[in-house]
Amino acid sequence: MADTKPKKLVFTRQEMFEINKKTLNKRGVQLEAIAEICYQQQSKYSDDVSRDVCMESVEKILSLRDVFHHIQLAAEIDRLAEEKMFQGPIQDIIYEDLGMFGIDETMGLDVAGLYGTIGQTNFGDIDVNKHGIVKRLNDAGKEDGICHTFLDDIVGAIAAAASTRVAQILNEDLAHEDTGVKRFSIFDIK
Ligand code: MG
């Protein structure tokens, strides 16, 4: 019998946020842990960063359609790899998180790229230095039966995008202060 269940393809931003949050929680990721990476990254450049603005940024990014598609696909690829559902060499390549496999990073760069080159640079930092939850996911992914090949990059990319959004908010605040005194830029490298 044909599948008569109506298909739902488009979701509101609120729905996408809720589904993303549920998916991430199910895969062991709390939003606070993503916001924490964002906080650690931006508080290096400014004393004005609050955990609230980091969390707000994470939530906003989780409601974007592009991000929704990335998270949903990434989480499913990892799950299917855990269940050994892929055929051919790609099953072991994904499951073993082969170092030279880079499509997970491509997806991460794509998400971080929503916030431009700075977003991608911030993603590079998180990817290489494996902050907080990204390191925990990466380590847990080495255990038997667990695959985090795509999840660690997606989580790092959400943190990078949120971090860049926070930087933009702080820059906007700075631009509004008409003091005539040259202020620091949070993009300055110390
Ligand atoms: Mg990865």
Side-chain angles (χ1 to χ4, degrees), residues 66-109:
D66 275 15
V67 177
F68 175 63
H69 295 152
H70 274 87
I71 292 174
Q72 295 307 310
L73 180 60
E76 275 303 282
I77 293 172
D78 282 355
R79 185 185 65 81
L80 291 169
E82 283 176 357
E83 293 179 9
K84 312 267 193 278
M85 294 293 282
F86 290 101
Q87 294 182 353
I90 204 68
Q91 169 62 43
D92 288 344
I93 290 170
I94 295 174
Y95 185 78
E96 296 300 331
D97 200 0
L98 176 71
M100 290 299 287
F101 177 74
I103 300 172
D104 45 345
E105 275 90 1
T106 304
M107 282 179 74
L109 280 170

Coordinates of all heavy atoms in Angstrom, one line a residue, residues 66-109:
D66 N 19.3 26.7 6.7 CA 20.6 26.1 6.3 C 21.2 25.2 7.4 O 21.6 24.1 7.2 CB 21.6 27.1 5.9 CG 21.4 27.6 4.5 OD1 20.3 27.3 3.9 OD2 22.4 28.2 3.9
V67 N 21.2 25.8 8.6 CA 21.8 25.1 9.7 C 20.9 23.8 10.1 O 21.5 22.8 10.4 CB 21.9 26.0 10.9 CG1 22.5 25.3 12.2 CG2 22.8 27.2 10.5
F68 N 19.6 24.0 10.0 CA 18.7 22.9 10.3 C 19.0 21.7 9.4 O 19.2 20.6 9.8 CB 17.3 23.4 10.0 CG 16.2 22.4 10.2 CD1 16.0 21.7 11.3 CD2 15.4 22.0 9.1 CE1 14.9 20.8 11.5 CE2 14.4 21.1 9.2 CZ 14.2 20.4 10.4
H69 N 19.2 22.0 8.1 CA 19.5 20.9 7.1 C 20.8 20.3 7.4 O 21.0 19.1 7.4 CB 19.4 21.5 5.7 CG 18.1 21.9 5.3 ND1 17.9 22.9 4.3 CD2 16.8 21.5 5.7 CE1 16.5 23.1 4.2 NE2 15.9 22.3 5.0
H70 N 21.8 21.1 7.7 CA 23.1 20.6 8.1 C 23.1 19.7 9.3 O 23.6 18.6 9.3 CB 24.1 21.7 8.3 CG 24.8 22.2 7.1 ND1 24.2 23.2 6.3 CD2 25.9 21.9 6.5 CE1 25.0 23.4 5.3 NE2 26.1 22.7 5.3
I71 N 22.5 20.1 10.4 CA 22.4 19.4 11.6 C 21.7 18.1 11.4 O 22.2 17.0 11.8 CB 21.8 20.2 12.8 CG1 22.7 21.4 13.1 CG2 21.5 19.3 14.0 CD1 22.1 22.3 14.2
Q72 N 20.5 18.2 10.8 CA 19.7 16.9 10.6 C 20.5 15.9 9.8 O 20.5 14.7 10.1 CB 18.4 17.3 10.0 CG 17.5 18.2 10.9 CD 17.3 17.6 12.3 OE1 17.0 16.4 12.4 NE2 17.6 18.3 13.3
L73 N 21.1 16.4 8.7 CA 21.9 15.4 7.8 C 23.1 14.9 8.6 O 23.3 13.7 8.6 CB 22.3 16.1 6.5 CG 23.1 15.3 5.6 CD1 22.3 14.1 5.1 CD2 23.5 16.1 4.3
A74 N 23.9 15.7 9.2 CA 25.1 15.3 9.9 C 24.8 14.3 11.0 O 25.4 13.3 11.1 CB 25.8 16.5 10.6
A75 N 23.7 14.5 11.8 CA 23.4 13.6 12.9 C 22.9 12.3 12.3 O 23.2 11.2 12.9 CB 22.2 14.2 13.7
E76 N 22.2 12.3 11.2 CA 21.8 11.0 10.6 C 22.9 10.2 10.0 O 22.9 9.0 10.0 CB 20.7 11.3 9.5 CG 19.3 11.5 10.0 CD 18.9 10.2 10.8 OE1 18.5 9.2 10.2 OE2 18.9 10.2 12.1
I77 N 23.9 10.9 9.4 CA 25.1 10.2 8.8 C 25.8 9.5 9.9 O 26.1 8.3 9.8 CB 26.0 11.2 8.1 CG1 25.3 11.8 6.8 CG2 27.3 10.5 7.7 CD1 26.1 12.9 6.1
D78 N 26.0 10.2 11.0 CA 26.7 9.5 12.2 C 25.9 8.3 12.7 O 26.4 7.2 12.9 CB 26.9 10.5 13.3 CG 28.1 11.4 13.1 OD1 28.8 11.3 12.0 OD2 28.3 12.3 13.9
R79 N 24.6 8.5 12.8 CA 23.7 7.4 13.3 C 23.8 6.2 12.4 O 23.9 5.1 12.8 CB 22.3 7.9 13.5 CG 21.4 6.9 14.2 CD 19.9 7.3 14.2 NE 19.3 7.5 12.9 CZ 18.8 6.5 12.2 NH1 18.9 5.2 12.6 NH2 18.3 6.7 11.0
L80 N 23.6 6.5 11.1 CA 23.7 5.4 10.1 C 25.0 4.7 10.1 O 25.1 3.5 10.0 CB 23.3 5.9 8.7 CG 21.9 6.4 8.6 CD1 21.7 7.2 7.2 CD2 20.9 5.2 8.6
A81 N 26.1 5.4 10.3 CA 27.4 4.8 10.4 C 27.5 3.9 11.6 O 28.1 2.8 11.5 CB 28.5 5.9 10.4
E82 N 27.0 4.4 12.7 CA 27.0 3.6 14.0 C 26.2 2.3 13.7 O 26.5 1.2 14.3 CB 26.3 4.4 15.1 CG 27.2 5.4 15.7 CD 26.5 6.3 16.8 OE1 25.3 6.1 17.0 OE2 27.2 7.1 17.4
E83 N 25.1 2.4 13.0 CA 24.3 1.2 12.7 C 24.8 0.4 11.5 O 24.1 -0.6 11.1 CB 22.8 1.6 12.5 CG 22.3 2.1 13.8 CD 20.8 2.6 13.7 OE1 20.2 2.4 12.7 OE2 20.3 3.2 14.7
K84 N 26.0 0.8 11.0 CA 26.6 0.1 9.9 C 25.7 0.0 8.6 O 25.6 -1.1 8.0 CB 27.0 -1.4 10.3 CG 27.8 -1.4 11.6 CD 29.3 -1.4 11.3 CE 30.1 -1.7 12.6 NZ 30.3 -0.7 13.5
M85 N 25.0 1.1 8.4 CA 24.0 1.1 7.3 C 24.5 1.5 5.9 O 23.9 1.3 4.9 CB 22.8 2.0 7.7 CG 22.0 1.6 8.9 SD 21.1 0.1 8.6 CE 19.7 0.8 7.6
F86 N 25.7 2.0 5.9 CA 26.3 2.4 4.6 C 26.9 1.1 3.9 O 27.4 0.2 4.6 CB 27.4 3.5 4.7 CG 26.8 4.8 5.1 CD1 26.9 5.2 6.4 CD2 26.2 5.6 4.2 CE1 26.4 6.5 6.8 CE2 25.7 6.9 4.5 CZ 25.8 7.3 5.9
Q87 N 26.9 1.1 2.6 CA 27.5 0.1 1.9 C 28.8 0.5 1.3 O 29.0 1.7 1.0 CB 26.6 -0.4 0.8 CG 25.3 -1.1 1.3 CD 24.4 -1.6 0.2 OE1 24.7 -1.4 -0.9 NE2 23.4 -2.3 0.6
G88 N 29.8 -0.4 1.1 CA 31.0 0.0 0.4 C 32.0 0.7 1.4 O 31.8 0.8 2.6
P89 N 33.1 1.2 0.9 CA 34.2 1.7 1.7 C 33.8 2.9 2.6 O 34.4 3.1 3.6 CB 35.3 2.1 0.7 CG 34.7 2.1 -0.6 CD 33.5 1.2 -0.6
I90 N 32.8 3.6 2.2 CA 32.5 4.8 2.9 C 32.0 4.5 4.3 O 32.2 5.3 5.3 CB 31.4 5.7 2.1 CG1 31.5 7.1 2.5 CG2 30.0 5.1 2.3 CD1 32.8 7.8 2.1
Q91 N 31.5 3.3 4.6 CA 31.0 2.9 5.9 C 32.2 3.0 6.9 O 32.1 3.6 7.9 CB 30.5 1.5 5.9 CG 30.2 0.9 7.3 CD 29.2 1.6 8.2 OE1 28.2 2.1 7.7 NE2 29.6 1.8 9.4
D92 N 33.3 2.3 6.5 CA 34.5 2.3 7.5 C 35.2 3.7 7.5 O 35.7 4.1 8.6 CB 35.5 1.2 7.0 CG 35.0 -0.2 7.3 OD1 34.0 -0.3 8.1 OD2 35.5 -1.2 6.8
I93 N 35.2 4.4 6.4 CA 35.9 5.7 6.3 C 35.2 6.6 7.3 O 35.8 7.3 8.1 CB 35.9 6.2 4.9 CG1 36.8 5.4 4.0 CG2 36.3 7.7 4.9 CD1 36.8 5.7 2.5
I94 N 33.8 6.6 7.3 CA 33.1 7.5 8.2 C 33.2 7.0 9.6 O 33.5 7.8 10.5 CB 31.6 7.7 7.8 CG1 31.5 8.4 6.4 CG2 30.8 8.5 8.8 CD1 30.1 8.5 5.8
Y95 N 32.9 5.7 9.8 CA 32.9 5.2 11.1 C 34.2 5.3 11.9 O 34.3 5.6 13.0 CB 32.5 3.7 11.1 CG 32.3 3.1 12.5 CD1 31.2 3.3 13.2 CD2 33.3 2.3 13.0 CE1 31.0 2.8 14.5 CE2 33.2 1.7 14.3 CZ 32.0 2.0 15.0 OH 31.9 1.4 16.3
E96 N 35.3 5.1 11.1 CA 36.7 5.2 11.7 C 37.2 6.7 11.8 O 38.2 7.0 12.2 CB 37.7 4.3 11.0 CG 37.4 2.8 11.0 CD 37.3 2.3 12.5 OE1 38.1 2.8 13.3 OE2 36.6 1.3 12.7
D97 N 36.4 7.6 11.2 CA 36.8 9.0 11.2 C 38.2 9.2 10.6 O 39.0 9.8 11.2 CB 36.7 9.6 12.6 CG 36.6 11.1 12.6 OD1 36.6 11.7 11.5 OD2 36.6 11.7 13.7
L98 N 38.3 8.7 9.4 CA 39.6 8.8 8.7 C 40.1 10.2 8.6 O 39.3 11.1 8.2 CB 39.4 8.2 7.3 CG 40.7 8.3 6.3 CD1 41.8 7.3 6.8 CD2 40.3 8.1 4.9
G99 N 41.4 10.4 9.0 CA 41.9 11.8 9.1 C 41.8 12.5 7.7 O 41.7 13.7 7.7
M100 N 42.0 11.8 6.6 CA 42.0 12.5 5.3 C 40.6 12.6 4.7 O 40.5 13.1 3.6 CB 42.9 11.7 4.3 CG 44.4 11.8 4.7 SD 45.0 13.5 4.6 CE 45.0 13.7 2.8
F101 N 39.6 12.2 5.5 CA 38.2 12.4 5.0 C 37.8 13.8 5.5 O 37.9 14.2 6.7 CB 37.3 11.4 5.7 CG 35.8 11.6 5.3 CD1 35.4 11.2 4.1 CD2 35.0 12.0 6.3 CE1 34.0 11.4 3.8 CE2 33.6 12.2 6.0 CZ 33.1 11.8 4.8
G102 N 37.4 14.7 4.5 CA 37.2 16.1 4.9 C 35.8 16.6 4.7 O 35.6 17.8 4.8
I103 N 34.9 15.7 4.4 CA 33.5 16.2 4.0 C 32.8 16.7 5.3 O 32.0 17.6 5.2 CB 32.7 15.2 3.3 CG1 33.5 14.8 2.0 CG2 31.3 15.7 2.9 CD1 32.9 13.6 1.2
D104 N 33.2 16.2 6.4 CA 32.6 16.7 7.7 C 33.1 18.1 7.9 O 32.3 19.0 8.3 CB 33.0 15.8 8.9 CG 34.5 15.4 8.9 OD1 35.1 15.5 7.9 OD2 34.9 14.9 9.9
E105 N 34.4 18.4 7.6 CA 34.9 19.8 7.8 C 34.2 20.7 6.7 O 34.0 21.9 7.0 CB 36.4 19.8 7.6 CG 37.2 19.6 8.9 CD 37.5 18.1 9.1 OE1 37.1 17.3 8.2 OE2 38.1 17.7 10.1
T106 N 34.0 20.2 5.6 CA 33.3 21.0 4.5 C 32.0 21.5 5.0 O 31.6 22.6 4.8 CB 33.1 20.2 3.2 OG1 34.4 19.7 2.8 CG2 32.5 21.0 2.1
M107 N 31.3 20.6 5.6 CA 29.9 20.9 6.2 C 30.1 22.0 7.3 O 29.3 22.9 7.4 CB 29.2 19.7 6.7 CG 28.6 18.9 5.6 SD 27.7 17.4 6.2 CE 26.2 18.1 6.9
G108 N 31.1 21.8 8.1 CA 31.4 22.7 9.2 C 31.7 24.1 8.7 O 31.2 25.1 9.1
L109 N 32.6 24.1 7.6 CA 33.0 25.4 7.0 C 31.7 26.1 6.4 O 31.6 27.3 6.4 CB 34.0 25.2 5.9 CG 35.4 25.0 6.4 CD1 36.4 24.5 5.3 CD2 36.0 26.3 7.0

